[in-house]
Coordinates of all heavy atoms in Angstrom, one line a residue:
G1 N 6.1 -109.1 -124.1 CA 6.9 -110.2 -124.7 C 6.2 -110.7 -125.9 O 6.9 -111.1 -126.9
R2 N 4.9 -110.9 -125.9 CA 4.2 -111.4 -127.1 C 4.4 -110.5 -128.3 O 4.5 -111.0 -129.4 CB 2.7 -111.6 -126.8 CG 2.4 -112.7 -125.8 CD 0.9 -112.8 -125.6 NE 0.6 -113.7 -124.5 CZ -0.6 -113.9 -124.0 NH1 -1.6 -113.3 -124.6 NH2 -0.8 -114.7 -123.0
L3 N 4.3 -109.2 -128.0 CA 4.5 -108.3 -129.1 C 5.8 -108.4 -129.8 O 6.0 -108.4 -131.0 CB 4.2 -106.9 -128.6 CG 4.3 -105.8 -129.7 CD1 3.2 -105.9 -130.7 CD2 4.2 -104.4 -129.0
A4 N 6.9 -108.5 -129.0 CA 8.2 -108.6 -129.5 C 8.5 -109.9 -130.2 O 9.0 -109.9 -131.3 CB 9.2 -108.5 -128.3
V5 N 8.0 -111.0 -129.7 CA 8.1 -112.3 -130.4 C 7.3 -112.3 -131.7 O 7.8 -112.9 -132.7 CB 7.7 -113.5 -129.4 CG1 7.7 -114.8 -130.1 CG2 8.7 -113.6 -128.2
S6 N 6.1 -111.8 -131.6 CA 5.3 -111.7 -132.9 C 6.0 -110.9 -133.9 O 6.0 -111.3 -135.1 CB 4.0 -111.2 -132.6 OG 3.3 -111.9 -131.6
A7 N 6.6 -109.8 -133.6 CA 7.3 -108.9 -134.5 C 8.5 -109.6 -135.1 O 8.7 -109.6 -136.3 CB 7.7 -107.6 -133.9
V8 N 9.2 -110.3 -134.3 CA 10.4 -111.1 -134.8 C 10.0 -112.2 -135.7 O 10.6 -112.4 -136.7 CB 11.2 -111.6 -133.6 CG1 12.3 -112.6 -134.0 CG2 11.9 -110.5 -132.8
L9 N 8.9 -112.8 -135.4 CA 8.4 -113.9 -136.2 C 8.0 -113.4 -137.6 O 8.3 -113.9 -138.6 CB 7.2 -114.6 -135.5 CG 6.6 -115.8 -136.3 CD1 7.6 -116.9 -136.4 CD2 5.3 -116.2 -135.6
A10 N 7.2 -112.2 -137.6 CA 6.8 -111.6 -138.9 C 8.0 -111.2 -139.7 O 8.1 -111.4 -140.9 CB 5.9 -110.5 -138.6
L11 N 9.0 -110.5 -139.0 CA 10.2 -110.1 -139.7 C 11.0 -111.2 -140.3 O 11.6 -111.1 -141.4 CB 11.0 -109.2 -138.8 CG 10.4 -107.8 -138.5 CD1 11.3 -107.1 -137.5 CD2 10.3 -107.0 -139.8
S12 N 11.1 -112.3 -139.5 CA 11.9 -113.4 -140.0 C 11.2 -114.1 -141.2 O 11.8 -114.6 -142.2 CB 12.1 -114.5 -138.9 OG 10.9 -115.1 -138.5
G13 N 9.8 -114.1 -141.2 CA 9.1 -114.6 -142.3 C 9.3 -113.7 -143.6 O 9.5 -114.2 -144.7
A14 N 9.2 -112.4 -143.4 CA 9.5 -111.5 -144.5 C 10.9 -111.6 -145.1 O 11.1 -111.6 -146.3 CB 9.2 -110.1 -144.1
G15 N 11.8 -111.8 -144.2 CA 13.2 -112.0 -144.6 C 13.4 -113.3 -145.3 O 14.2 -113.3 -146.3
T16 N 12.8 -114.3 -144.9 CA 12.9 -115.6 -145.6 C 12.3 -115.5 -147.0 O 12.9 -116.1 -147.9 CB 12.2 -116.7 -144.8 OG1 12.8 -116.8 -143.5 CG2 12.3 -118.1 -145.4
V17 N 11.1 -114.9 -147.1 CA 10.5 -114.7 -148.4 C 11.4 -113.9 -149.4 O 11.7 -114.3 -150.5 CB 9.1 -114.1 -148.3 CG1 8.6 -113.7 -149.7 CG2 8.1 -115.0 -147.6
A18 N 11.9 -112.8 -148.9 CA 12.8 -112.0 -149.7 C 14.1 -112.7 -150.1 O 14.5 -112.7 -151.3 CB 13.2 -110.7 -148.9
A19 N 14.7 -113.4 -149.2 CA 16.0 -114.1 -149.5 C 15.7 -115.3 -150.5 O 16.5 -115.5 -151.4 CB 16.6 -114.6 -148.2
A20 N 14.6 -116.0 -150.3 CA 14.3 -117.1 -151.2 C 14.0 -116.6 -152.6 O 14.5 -117.2 -153.6 CB 13.2 -117.9 -150.6
L21 N 13.3 -115.6 -152.7 CA 12.9 -115.1 -154.1 C 14.1 -114.4 -154.7 O 14.3 -114.5 -156.0 CB 11.7 -114.2 -154.0 CG 10.4 -114.8 -153.6 CD1 9.3 -113.8 -153.5 CD2 10.1 -116.0 -154.5
L22 N 14.9 -113.7 -154.0 CA 16.1 -113.1 -154.6 C 17.1 -114.1 -155.0 O 17.9 -113.9 -156.0 CB 16.7 -112.0 -153.6 CG 15.9 -110.8 -153.4 CD1 16.5 -109.9 -152.3 CD2 15.8 -110.0 -154.7
G23 N 17.3 -115.1 -154.2 CA 18.3 -116.2 -154.5 C 17.8 -117.2 -155.4 O 18.6 -118.1 -155.9
A24 N 16.6 -117.2 -155.8 CA 16.0 -118.3 -156.7 C 16.7 -118.3 -158.1 O 17.0 -119.4 -158.6 CB 14.5 -118.1 -156.8
S25 N 17.0 -117.2 -158.6 CA 17.5 -117.1 -160.0 C 18.9 -116.4 -160.0 O 19.4 -116.0 -161.0 CB 16.6 -116.4 -160.9 OG 16.4 -115.1 -160.5
D26 N 19.5 -116.3 -158.8 CA 20.8 -115.6 -158.8 C 21.9 -116.5 -159.1 O 22.1 -117.6 -158.6 CB 21.0 -115.1 -157.3 CG 22.3 -114.2 -157.2 OD1 22.7 -113.7 -158.3 OD2 22.8 -114.1 -156.1
S27 N 22.7 -116.2 -160.1 CA 23.8 -117.0 -160.5 C 25.2 -116.2 -160.4 O 26.2 -116.6 -161.0 CB 23.6 -117.4 -162.0 OG 23.6 -116.3 -162.9
T28 N 25.2 -115.2 -159.6 CA 26.4 -114.3 -159.5 C 27.6 -115.1 -159.0 O 28.7 -115.0 -159.5 CB 26.1 -113.2 -158.5 OG1 24.9 -112.5 -159.0 CG2 27.3 -112.2 -158.4
A29 N 27.4 -116.0 -157.9 CA 28.5 -116.7 -157.4 C 29.0 -117.7 -158.4 O 30.2 -118.0 -158.5 CB 28.0 -117.5 -156.1
L30 N 28.1 -118.3 -159.2 CA 28.6 -119.3 -160.2 C 29.3 -118.6 -161.4 O 30.2 -119.1 -161.9 CB 27.4 -120.1 -160.7 CG 26.7 -121.0 -159.7 CD1 25.5 -121.7 -160.3 CD2 27.7 -122.1 -159.3
D31 N 28.8 -117.4 -161.7 CA 29.5 -116.6 -162.7 C 30.9 -116.2 -162.3 O 31.9 -116.3 -163.1 CB 28.7 -115.3 -163.1 CG 27.4 -115.6 -163.8 OD1 27.3 -116.7 -164.4 OD2 26.5 -114.8 -163.8
E32 N 31.1 -115.9 -161.0 CA 32.4 -115.6 -160.5 C 33.3 -116.8 -160.6 O 34.5 -116.7 -160.9 CB 32.3 -115.1 -159.1 CG 31.7 -113.7 -159.0 CD 31.6 -113.2 -157.5 OE1 32.0 -113.9 -156.6 OE2 30.9 -112.2 -157.3
K33 N 32.8 -118.0 -160.2 CA 33.6 -119.2 -160.3 C 34.0 -119.6 -161.7 O 35.1 -120.0 -162.0 CB 32.9 -120.4 -159.6 CG 32.8 -120.3 -158.1 CD 34.2 -120.4 -157.5 CE 34.1 -120.4 -156.0 NZ 35.5 -120.5 -155.4
A34 N 33.0 -119.3 -162.6 CA 33.3 -119.6 -164.0 C 34.4 -118.7 -164.6 O 35.3 -119.1 -165.3 CB 32.0 -119.5 -164.8
A35 N 34.3 -117.4 -164.2 CA 35.4 -116.5 -164.6 C 36.7 -116.9 -164.0 O 37.7 -116.8 -164.7 CB 35.0 -115.1 -164.2
Q36 N 36.7 -117.3 -162.8 CA 37.9 -117.7 -162.1 C 38.5 -118.9 -162.7 O 39.7 -119.0 -162.9 CB 37.7 -117.9 -160.6 CG 38.9 -118.1 -159.8 CD 38.5 -118.3 -158.3 OE1 37.5 -119.0 -158.0 NE2 39.3 -117.7 -157.4
A37 N 37.7 -119.9 -163.0 CA 38.2 -121.2 -163.6 C 38.7 -121.0 -165.0 O 39.6 -121.7 -165.4 CB 37.0 -122.2 -163.5
S38 N 38.0 -120.2 -165.8 CA 38.4 -120.1 -167.2 C 39.5 -119.0 -167.4 O 40.1 -119.0 -168.4 CB 37.2 -119.7 -168.0 OG 36.7 -118.4 -167.7
G39 N 39.7 -118.1 -166.4 CA 40.6 -117.0 -166.6 C 40.1 -115.9 -167.4 O 40.7 -114.9 -167.7
D40 N 38.8 -116.0 -167.8 CA 38.2 -114.9 -168.6 C 37.2 -114.2 -167.7 O 36.3 -114.8 -167.2 CB 37.4 -115.6 -169.8 CG 36.7 -114.5 -170.7 OD1 37.0 -113.3 -170.5 OD2 35.9 -115.0 -171.5
A41 N 37.4 -112.9 -167.5 CA 36.6 -112.1 -166.6 C 35.2 -111.9 -167.0 O 34.3 -111.7 -166.2 CB 37.2 -110.7 -166.4
S42 N 34.9 -112.2 -168.3 CA 33.5 -112.0 -168.8 C 32.8 -113.4 -168.9 O 31.7 -113.4 -169.4 CB 33.5 -111.3 -170.1 OG 34.2 -112.1 -171.1
A43 N 33.4 -114.4 -168.4 CA 32.8 -115.8 -168.5 C 31.6 -115.9 -167.6 O 31.6 -115.4 -166.5 CB 33.8 -116.8 -168.2
T44 N 30.5 -116.5 -168.1 CA 29.3 -116.7 -167.3 C 28.9 -118.1 -167.4 O 29.4 -118.9 -168.3 CB 28.2 -115.8 -167.7 OG1 27.9 -116.1 -169.1 CG2 28.5 -114.3 -167.5
V45 N 28.0 -118.5 -166.6 CA 27.5 -119.9 -166.6 C 26.5 -119.9 -167.7 O 25.5 -119.1 -167.8 CB 26.8 -120.3 -165.3 CG1 26.2 -121.6 -165.3 CG2 27.8 -120.2 -164.2
G46 N 26.6 -120.9 -168.6 CA 25.7 -121.0 -169.8 C 24.4 -121.6 -169.5 O 23.4 -121.1 -169.8
A47 N 24.5 -122.8 -168.9 CA 23.2 -123.6 -168.6 C 23.1 -123.7 -167.1 O 24.0 -124.2 -166.4 CB 23.3 -124.9 -169.3
L48 N 22.0 -123.3 -166.6 CA 21.8 -123.4 -165.1 C 20.4 -123.9 -164.9 O 19.4 -123.3 -165.4 CB 22.0 -122.0 -164.5 CG 21.9 -121.9 -163.0 CD1 22.9 -122.8 -162.3 CD2 22.0 -120.5 -162.5
S49 N 20.3 -124.9 -164.2 CA 18.9 -125.4 -163.9 C 18.6 -125.1 -162.4 O 19.4 -125.0 -161.6 CB 18.8 -126.9 -164.1 OG 19.7 -127.6 -163.2
H50 N 17.3 -124.8 -162.2 CA 16.9 -124.4 -160.8 C 15.9 -125.5 -160.3 O 15.1 -126.1 -161.1 CB 16.2 -123.1 -160.9 CG 17.1 -122.0 -161.3 ND1 18.0 -121.4 -160.5 CD2 17.2 -121.3 -162.4 CE1 18.7 -120.5 -161.1 NE2 18.2 -120.4 -162.3
T51 N 15.9 -125.7 -159.0 CA 14.9 -126.6 -158.4 C 13.8 -125.7 -157.8 O 13.8 -124.5 -157.8 CB 15.6 -127.4 -157.3 OG1 16.0 -126.5 -156.3 CG2 16.8 -128.2 -157.8
A52 N 12.8 -126.4 -157.3 CA 11.7 -125.7 -156.7 C 11.9 -125.3 -155.2 O 11.1 -124.7 -154.6 CB 10.5 -126.6 -156.8
W53 N 13.1 -125.7 -154.6 CA 13.3 -125.5 -153.2 C 13.3 -124.0 -152.8 O 12.8 -123.7 -151.7 CB 14.5 -126.2 -152.8 CG 14.3 -127.7 -152.7 CD1 14.9 -128.6 -153.5 CD2 13.4 -128.4 -151.9 NE1 14.4 -129.9 -153.2 CE2 13.5 -129.8 -152.2 CE3 12.6 -128.0 -150.9 CZ2 12.8 -130.8 -151.6 CZ3 11.8 -129.0 -150.2 CH2 11.9 -130.4 -150.6
P54 N 13.8 -123.1 -153.6 CA 13.7 -121.7 -153.2 C 12.2 -121.3 -153.0 O 11.9 -120.5 -152.2 CB 14.4 -120.9 -154.2 CG 15.4 -121.9 -154.8 CD 14.7 -123.2 -154.8
Y55 N 11.4 -121.8 -153.9 CA 10.0 -121.4 -153.8 C 9.3 -122.1 -152.7 O 8.3 -121.5 -152.1 CB 9.3 -121.7 -155.2 CG 10.0 -121.0 -156.3 CD1 10.8 -121.7 -157.2 CD2 9.9 -119.6 -156.4 CE1 11.5 -121.1 -158.2 CE2 10.6 -119.0 -157.5 CZ 11.4 -119.7 -158.3 OH 12.1 -119.0 -159.3
V56 N 9.7 -123.3 -152.3 CA 9.2 -124.0 -151.1 C 9.6 -123.2 -149.9 O 8.8 -123.0 -149.0 CB 9.7 -125.4 -151.1 CG1 9.3 -126.1 -149.8 CG2 9.1 -126.2 -152.2
A57 N 10.8 -122.7 -149.9 CA 11.3 -121.9 -148.8 C 10.5 -120.6 -148.7 O 10.1 -120.1 -147.6 CB 12.7 -121.6 -148.9
A58 N 10.1 -120.0 -149.9 CA 9.3 -118.8 -149.9 C 7.9 -119.0 -149.3 O 7.4 -118.1 -148.6 CB 9.3 -118.2 -151.3
V59 N 7.4 -120.1 -149.7 CA 6.0 -120.4 -149.1 C 6.1 -120.6 -147.6 O 5.3 -120.2 -146.8 CB 5.5 -121.7 -149.8 CG1 4.2 -122.2 -149.1 CG2 5.1 -121.4 -151.2
G60 N 7.2 -121.3 -147.1 CA 7.4 -121.4 -145.7 C 7.6 -120.1 -145.0 O 7.0 -119.8 -143.9
G61 N 8.3 -119.2 -145.6 CA 8.5 -117.8 -145.1 C 7.2 -117.1 -145.1 O 6.9 -116.3 -144.2
L62 N 6.4 -117.3 -146.1 CA 5.1 -116.6 -146.2 C 4.2 -117.1 -145.0 O 3.5 -116.3 -144.4 CB 4.4 -116.9 -147.5 CG 3.1 -116.2 -147.8 CD1 3.3 -114.6 -147.8 CD2 2.5 -116.6 -149.1
L63 N 4.2 -118.4 -144.7 CA 3.5 -118.9 -143.6 C 4.0 -118.3 -142.3 O 3.2 -118.0 -141.4 CB 3.6 -120.4 -143.5 CG 2.8 -121.2 -144.6 CD1 3.1 -122.7 -144.6 CD2 1.4 -121.0 -144.6
L64 N 5.3 -118.2 -142.1 CA 5.8 -117.5 -140.9 C 5.4 -116.1 -140.8 O 5.0 -115.6 -139.7 CB 7.4 -117.5 -140.9 CG 8.0 -118.8 -140.6 CD1 9.5 -118.7 -140.8 CD2 7.7 -119.2 -139.2
L65 N 5.4 -115.4 -142.0 CA 4.9 -114.0 -142.0 C 3.5 -113.9 -141.6 O 3.1 -113.0 -140.7 CB 5.1 -113.4 -143.4 CG 4.6 -112.0 -143.6 CD1 5.4 -111.0 -142.7 CD2 4.8 -111.6 -145.1
V66 N 2.6 -114.7 -142.1 CA 1.2 -114.7 -141.8 C 1.0 -115.0 -140.3 O 0.2 -114.4 -139.6 CB 0.4 -115.7 -142.7 CG1 -1.0 -115.9 -142.2 CG2 0.4 -115.2 -144.1
A67 N 1.7 -116.0 -139.8 CA 1.6 -116.4 -138.4 C 2.1 -115.2 -137.5 O 1.4 -114.9 -136.5 CB 2.5 -117.6 -138.1
G68 N 3.1 -114.5 -137.9 CA 3.6 -113.4 -137.1 C 2.6 -112.2 -137.1 O 2.3 -111.6 -136.1
L69 N 2.0 -112.0 -138.3 CA 1.0 -110.9 -138.4 C -0.3 -111.3 -137.6 O -0.9 -110.4 -136.9 CB 0.7 -110.6 -139.8 CG 1.8 -110.0 -140.6 CD1 1.4 -109.9 -142.1 CD2 2.2 -108.7 -140.1
L70 N -0.7 -112.5 -137.6 CA -1.8 -112.9 -136.8 C -1.6 -112.8 -135.3 O -2.4 -112.4 -134.6 CB -2.3 -114.4 -137.2 CG -3.0 -114.5 -138.5 CD1 -3.2 -116.0 -138.8 CD2 -4.3 -113.8 -138.5
A71 N -0.3 -113.2 -134.9 CA 0.0 -113.1 -133.5 C 0.1 -111.6 -133.1 O -0.3 -111.3 -132.0 CB 1.4 -113.8 -133.3
L72 N 0.5 -110.7 -134.0 CA 0.6 -109.3 -133.7 C -0.9 -108.8 -133.5 O -1.1 -108.0 -132.6 CB 1.2 -108.5 -134.8 CG 2.8 -108.5 -134.8 CD1 3.3 -107.8 -136.0 CD2 3.2 -107.7 -133.5
R73 N -1.8 -109.3 -134.4 CA -3.1 -108.8 -134.3 C -3.9 -109.3 -133.1 O -4.6 -108.6 -132.5 CB -3.8 -109.1 -135.7 CG -5.3 -108.9 -135.7 CD -5.7 -107.4 -135.7 NE -7.1 -107.2 -135.9 CZ -7.9 -107.0 -134.9 NH1 -7.5 -107.1 -133.6 NH2 -9.2 -106.8 -135.1
Y74 N -3.8 -110.6 -132.9 CA -4.7 -111.3 -131.9 C -4.0 -111.8 -130.7 O -4.6 -112.3 -129.8 CB -5.4 -112.5 -132.6 CG -6.3 -112.1 -133.7 CD1 -6.0 -112.4 -135.0 CD2 -7.5 -111.5 -133.5 CE1 -6.8 -112.1 -136.1 CE2 -8.3 -111.1 -134.5 CZ -8.0 -111.4 -135.8 OH -8.8 -111.1 -136.8
G75 N -2.7 -111.5 -130.6 CA -1.9 -112.0 -129.5 C -2.3 -111.5 -128.1 O -2.3 -112.2 -127.1
R76 N -2.8 -110.2 -128.1 CA -3.2 -109.6 -126.8 C -4.5 -110.2 -126.3 O -4.8 -110.0 -125.2 CB -3.2 -108.1 -126.9 CG -4.3 -107.6 -127.8 CD -4.3 -106.1 -127.9 NE -5.5 -105.6 -128.5 CZ -5.7 -105.5 -129.8 NH1 -4.8 -106.1 -130.6 NH2 -6.8 -105.0 -130.3
L77 N -5.2 -110.9 -127.2 CA -6.5 -111.5 -126.8 C -6.3 -112.9 -126.2 O -7.3 -113.5 -125.7 CB -7.5 -111.5 -128.0 CG -7.8 -110.2 -128.6 CD1 -8.6 -110.4 -129.9 CD2 -8.4 -109.2 -127.6
W78 N -5.2 -113.5 -126.4 CA -4.9 -114.8 -125.9 C -4.9 -114.8 -124.4 O -4.4 -113.9 -123.8 CB -3.6 -115.4 -126.4 CG -3.6 -115.6 -127.9 CD1 -4.7 -115.7 -128.8 CD2 -2.4 -115.7 -128.7 NE1 -4.3 -115.8 -130.0 CE2 -2.9 -115.8 -130.1 CE3 -1.1 -115.7 -128.5 CZ2 -2.0 -116.0 -131.1 CZ3 -0.2 -115.9 -129.5 CH2 -0.7 -116.0 -130.8
P79 N -5.4 -115.9 -123.7 CA -5.3 -115.9 -122.3 C -3.8 -116.1 -121.8 O -3.0 -116.7 -122.5 CB -6.1 -117.1 -121.9 CG -6.1 -118.0 -123.1 CD -6.0 -117.1 -124.3
A80 N -3.6 -115.6 -120.6 CA -2.3 -115.7 -120.0 C -2.1 -117.1 -119.5 O -3.1 -117.8 -119.2 CB -2.1 -114.7 -118.9
M81 N -0.9 -117.5 -119.2 CA -0.7 -118.8 -118.6 C -1.2 -118.8 -117.2 O -1.0 -117.8 -116.5 CB 0.8 -119.1 -118.6 CG 1.4 -119.4 -120.0 SD 3.1 -119.8 -120.0 CE 3.2 -121.3 -119.0
S82 N -1.8 -119.9 -116.8 CA -2.3 -120.0 -115.4 C -1.2 -120.6 -114.5 O -0.2 -121.1 -114.9 CB -3.5 -120.8 -115.4 OG -3.2 -122.2 -115.6
G83 N -1.5 -120.5 -113.2 CA -0.6 -121.1 -112.2 C -1.0 -122.4 -111.8 O -0.7 -122.9 -110.7
R84 N -1.8 -123.1 -112.6 CA -2.4 -124.4 -112.2 C -1.4 -125.4 -111.9 O -1.6 -126.2 -110.9 CB -3.3 -124.9 -113.4 CG -4.0 -126.2 -113.1 CD -4.9 -126.6 -114.2 NE -5.5 -127.8 -113.9 CZ -6.4 -128.4 -114.7 NH1 -6.7 -127.9 -115.8 NH2 -6.9 -129.6 -114.4
Y85 N -0.3 -125.5 -112.6 CA 0.7 -126.5 -112.4 C 1.9 -126.0 -111.7 O 2.9 -126.7 -111.7 CB 1.0 -127.2 -113.7 CG -0.1 -127.8 -114.4 CD1 -0.8 -127.3 -115.5 CD2 -0.7 -129.0 -113.9 CE1 -1.9 -127.9 -116.1 CE2 -1.7 -129.6 -114.5 CZ -2.3 -129.1 -115.6 OH -3.4 -129.7 -116.1
E86 N 1.8 -124.8 -111.2 CA 3.0 -124.3 -110.5 C 3.2 -125.0 -109.1 O 2.2 -125.3 -108.4 CB 2.8 -122.8 -110.2 CG 2.8 -121.9 -111.5 CD 4.2 -121.9 -112.1 OE1 5.2 -121.8 -111.3 OE2 4.3 -121.9 -113.3
R87 N 4.4 -125.1 -108.7 CA 4.7 -125.8 -107.5 C 4.8 -124.7 -106.4 O 5.3 -123.6 -106.6 CB 6.0 -126.4 -107.6 CG 6.4 -127.2 -106.3 CD 7.7 -127.9 -106.6 NE 8.1 -128.5 -105.3 CZ 9.3 -129.1 -105.1 NH1 10.1 -129.2 -106.1 NH2 9.6 -129.5 -103.9
G88 N 4.2 -124.9 -105.3 CA 4.2 -124.0 -104.2 C 5.6 -123.9 -103.6 O 6.5 -124.7 -103.8
G89 N 5.8 -122.8 -102.8 CA 7.1 -122.6 -102.2 C 7.4 -123.5 -101.0 O 8.5 -123.6 -100.6
A90 N 6.4 -124.1 -100.4 CA 6.6 -124.9 -99.2 C 7.2 -126.2 -99.6 O 6.9 -126.8 -100.6 CB 5.3 -125.1 -98.5
P91 N 8.2 -126.7 -98.8 CA 8.8 -128.0 -99.1 C 7.8 -129.1 -98.9 O 6.9 -129.1 -98.1 CB 9.9 -128.1 -98.1 CG 9.6 -127.2 -97.0 CD 8.8 -126.1 -97.6
R92 N 7.8 -130.1 -99.8 CA 6.9 -131.3 -99.7 C 7.5 -132.3 -98.7 O 8.7 -132.5 -98.6 CB 6.8 -131.9 -101.1 CG 6.1 -131.0 -102.1 CD 5.9 -131.8 -103.4 NE 5.2 -130.9 -104.3 CZ 5.0 -131.3 -105.5 NH1 5.4 -132.4 -106.0 NH2 4.3 -130.5 -106.3
P93 N 6.6 -133.0 -98.0 CA 7.1 -134.0 -97.1 C 7.7 -135.2 -97.9 O 7.2 -135.5 -99.0 CB 5.9 -134.4 -96.3 CG 4.7 -134.0 -97.2 CD 5.2 -132.8 -98.0
R94 N 8.8 -135.7 -97.4 CA 9.4 -136.8 -98.1 C 8.6 -138.1 -97.8 O 8.1 -138.3 -96.7 CB 10.9 -137.0 -97.6 CG 11.7 -135.8 -98.0 CD 13.1 -136.1 -97.6 NE 14.0 -135.0 -98.1 CZ 15.0 -135.1 -98.8 NH1 15.4 -136.3 -99.2 NH2 15.7 -134.1 -99.2
R95 N 8.6 -139.0 -98.8 CA 8.0 -140.3 -98.6 C 8.9 -141.2 -97.8 O 10.1 -141.1 -97.9 CB 7.7 -140.9 -100.0 CG 6.7 -140.2 -100.8 CD 6.5 -141.0 -102.1 NE 5.7 -140.2 -103.0 CZ 5.4 -140.6 -104.2 NH1 5.9 -141.7 -104.7 NH2 4.6 -139.9 -104.9
A96 N 8.3 -142.0 -97.0 CA 9.1 -143.0 -96.3 C 9.6 -144.0 -97.2 O 9.0 -144.5 -98.1 CB 8.3 -143.6 -95.2
A97 N 10.9 -144.5 -97.0 CA 11.5 -145.5 -97.8 C 10.8 -146.8 -97.6 O 10.4 -147.2 -96.5 CB 13.0 -145.6 -97.5
A98 N 10.6 -147.5 -98.7 CA 10.0 -148.8 -98.6 C 10.9 -149.8 -97.9 O 12.1 -149.7 -98.1 CB 9.7 -149.4 -100.0
P99 N 10.4 -150.6 -97.0 CA 11.2 -151.6 -96.3 C 11.9 -152.5 -97.2 O 11.4 -152.9 -98.2 CB 10.3 -152.3 -95.3 CG 8.9 -152.1 -95.9 CD 9.0 -150.8 -96.7
A100 N 13.2 -152.8 -96.9 CA 14.0 -153.7 -97.7 C 13.4 -155.2 -97.6 O 12.9 -155.6 -96.6 CB 15.4 -153.7 -97.2
D101 N 13.5 -155.9 -98.7 CA 13.0 -157.3 -98.7 C 14.1 -158.2 -98.1 O 15.2 -158.2 -98.6 CB 12.8 -157.7 -100.2 CG 12.0 -159.0 -100.3 OD1 11.6 -159.5 -99.3 OD2 12.0 -159.5 -101.5
P102 N 13.7 -158.8 -97.0 CA 14.7 -159.6 -96.3 C 15.2 -160.8 -97.1 O 16.2 -161.4 -96.8 CB 14.0 -160.1 -95.0 CG 12.6 -159.9 -95.3 CD 12.4 -158.9 -96.3
D103 N 14.4 -161.3 -98.1 CA 14.8 -162.5 -98.9 C 15.9 -162.1 -99.9 O 16.4 -163.0 -100.5 CB 13.6 -163.0 -99.6 CG 12.6 -163.6 -98.6 OD1 13.1 -164.0 -97.5 OD2 11.4 -163.6 -98.9
R104 N 16.2 -160.9 -100.1 CA 17.1 -160.5 -101.1 C 18.5 -160.4 -100.6 O 19.1 -160.2 -99.7 CB 16.8 -159.2 -101.8 CG 15.7 -159.4 -102.7 CD 15.5 -158.2 -103.5 NE 14.8 -158.5 -104.8 CZ 14.5 -157.6 -105.7 NH1 14.9 -156.4 -105.6 NH2 13.9 -158.0 -106.7

């Protein structure tokens, strides 16, 4: 289970980095809307400003990728969950109900 979860974590980090970096400067959708709005098939967006958020997402994806790779490498060395807080199969005795207050 740890191996599968670690691999999914690493792959999702790699996918996030790739999508963020590919989409950071992509203006294809805006070019299509500009062509549709103007009626000119060769119209493109002239001025386009970008924010830092795609790069922030890429850094987050890189952190996910590193975490997944570390989990792949060292996950088998982590201790397993213990049964310390597991409840036994035997039913527990019920507590006696507190006597009702006669003044109420």
Side-chain angles (χ1 to χ4, degrees):
R2 289 181 191 177
L3 182 65
V5 170
S6 301
V8 167
L9 183 65
L11 289 174
S12 66
T16 301
V17 169
L21 293 179
L22 289 175
S25 61
D26 186 24
S27 64
T28 306
L30 293 174
D31 289 341
E32 289 176 8
K33 287 294 184 182
Q36 187 180 42
S38 68
D40 182 10
S42 63
T44 60
V45 175
L48 182 63
S49 64
H50 297 286
T51 64
W53 288 112
Y55 303 107
V56 173
V59 170
L62 186 63
L63 290 174
L64 283 173
L65 176 63
V66 169
L69 292 175
L70 286 173
L72 278 172
R73 170 69 176 97
Y74 297 108
R76 67 180 191 283
L77 301 175
W78 295 341
M81 291 180 61
S82 69
R84 180 175 180 181
Y85 298 106
E86 291 293 321
R87 182 176 173 186
R92 294 183 177 176
R94 294 184 176 235
R95 293 183 187 175
D101 189 8
D103 293 333
R104 284 190 159 183

